[in-house]
């Protein structure tokens, strides 16, 4: 149901954003940056301003926020405008190449054309990155221990936990699960560089 609702919202957002340039993603290099507000969306309505207490989708010309994708959750954090501030509750793509920040304005207002300060919740991002790396290590271990047919069929990656769906001919035994878990914990503790 959530995915169906999102698909509906994405279609509405895409229609409103015709002619909007793609959002430049600079979040691998930076966790904070200045950006220009190019759209404010409240469902199927384009807005020129969002005031305290309102929740809208904020689209900027560039962003440091990672959009939900590949099983990894979108970033959260903060946005500050010249006359207001808010919390970024989620980040996702709402049209091809267009990243939206779902924000709840907590004080003042955020307006179309504002130059805003964007800041990612660093601790949460790092936690998601750790879980993302762990999915790759787990995938490697599964293929090594139960065979090359153990391929990823889906995942959920968020701070502090991950879910990894994979194909196999039968359920893993408790012994296999314990051994794979111990191997994963051991390999993650090596803290090898990511490449």
């Amino acid at each position: 149901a959530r995915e169906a609702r999102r698909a509906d919202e994405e279609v509405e957002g895409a229609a409103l954003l015709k002619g909007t340039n793609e959002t430049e993603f600079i979040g691998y290099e930076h966790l904070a940056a200045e950006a220009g507000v190019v759209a404010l969306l409240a469902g199927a309505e384009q807005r020129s301003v969002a005031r305290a207490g309102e929740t809208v989708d904020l689209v900027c010309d560039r962003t440091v926020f990672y959009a939900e994708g590949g099983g990894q959750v979108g970033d959260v954090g903060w946005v500050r405008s010249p006359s207001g501030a808010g919390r970024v509750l989620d980040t996702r793509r709402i049209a091809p190449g267009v990243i939206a920040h779902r924000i709840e304005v907590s004080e003042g207002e955020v307006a179309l054309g504002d130059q805003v300060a964007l800041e990612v919740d660093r601790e949460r991002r790092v936690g998601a990155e750790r879980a993302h790396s762990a999915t790759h290590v787990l995938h490697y271990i599964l293929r090594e221990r139960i065979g090359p047919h153990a391929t990823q069929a889906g995942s959920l990656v968020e701070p502090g936990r991950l879910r990894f769906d994979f194909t196999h001919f039968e359920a893993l035994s408790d012994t296999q699960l314990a051994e794979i878990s111990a191997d994963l914990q051991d390999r993650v503790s090596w803290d090898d560089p990511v490449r």
Side-chain angles (χ1 to χ4, degrees):
R2 188 179 313 151
E3 289 304 314
R5 187 183 80 243
R6 273 202 181 159
D8 289 345
E9 289 173 355
E10 287 175 8
V11 169
E12 290 174 352
L16 291 171
L17 295 171
K18 276 198 171 154
T20 300
N21 291 332
E22 290 188 3
T23 308
E24 179 189 6
F25 177 69
I26 58 171
Y28 291 133
E29 301 85 18
H30 308 281
L31 293 179
E34 299 286 322
V37 177
V38 297
L40 289 168
L41 306 172
E45 176 188 348
Q46 190 147 8
R47 307 274 301 277
S48 60
V49 67
R51 293 183 174 79
E54 295 180 328
T55 300
V56 297
D57 286 321
L58 170 80
V59 179
C60 295
D61 55 357
R62 66 187 194 152
T63 189
V64 292
F65 284 78
Y66 181 86
E68 178 182 333
Q72 184 166 325
V73 295
D75 279 334
V76 300
W78 303 272
V79 59
R80 290 207 170 278
S81 75
S83 57
R87 177 99 173 118
V88 177
L89 307 172
D90 192 17
T91 308
R92 57 195 175 83
R93 285 176 185 77
I94 60 169
V98 179
I99 297 172
H101 314 83
R102 173 69 46 97
I103 67 166
E104 180 179 35
V105 182
S106 55
E107 60 185 70
E109 62 184 35
V110 178
L112 190 62
D114 277 353
Q115 282 292 102
V116 295
L118 300 172
E119 183 181 354
V120 171
D121 181 329
R122 183 186 191 296
E123 190 173 314
R124 187 169 186 274
R125 164 76 79 83
V126 169
E129 287 174 343
R130 278 191 209 109
H132 183 108
S133 293
T135 62
H136 290 286
V137 175
L138 177 58
H139 193 192
Y140 176 84
I141 291 169
L142 288 169
R143 292 174 61 87
E144 181 182 67
R145 287 183 173 264
I146 65 175
H149 66 278
T151 56
Q152 183 174 351
S155 66
L156 172 67
V157 178
E158 57 187 21
R161 77 181 194 108
L162 64 92
R163 187 197 74 234
F164 188 86
D165 305 327
F166 64 96
T167 55
H168 187 46
F169 308 117
E170 60 191 11
L172 297 178
S173 70
D174 290 343
T175 302
Q176 285 175 306
L177 286 172
E179 289 171 353
I180 289 168
S181 179
D183 194 3
L184 176 61
Q185 293 296 325
D186 184 47
R187 290 184 194 216
V188 167
S189 70
W190 294 350
D191 197 25
D192 285 339
V194 175
R195 49 181 204 283

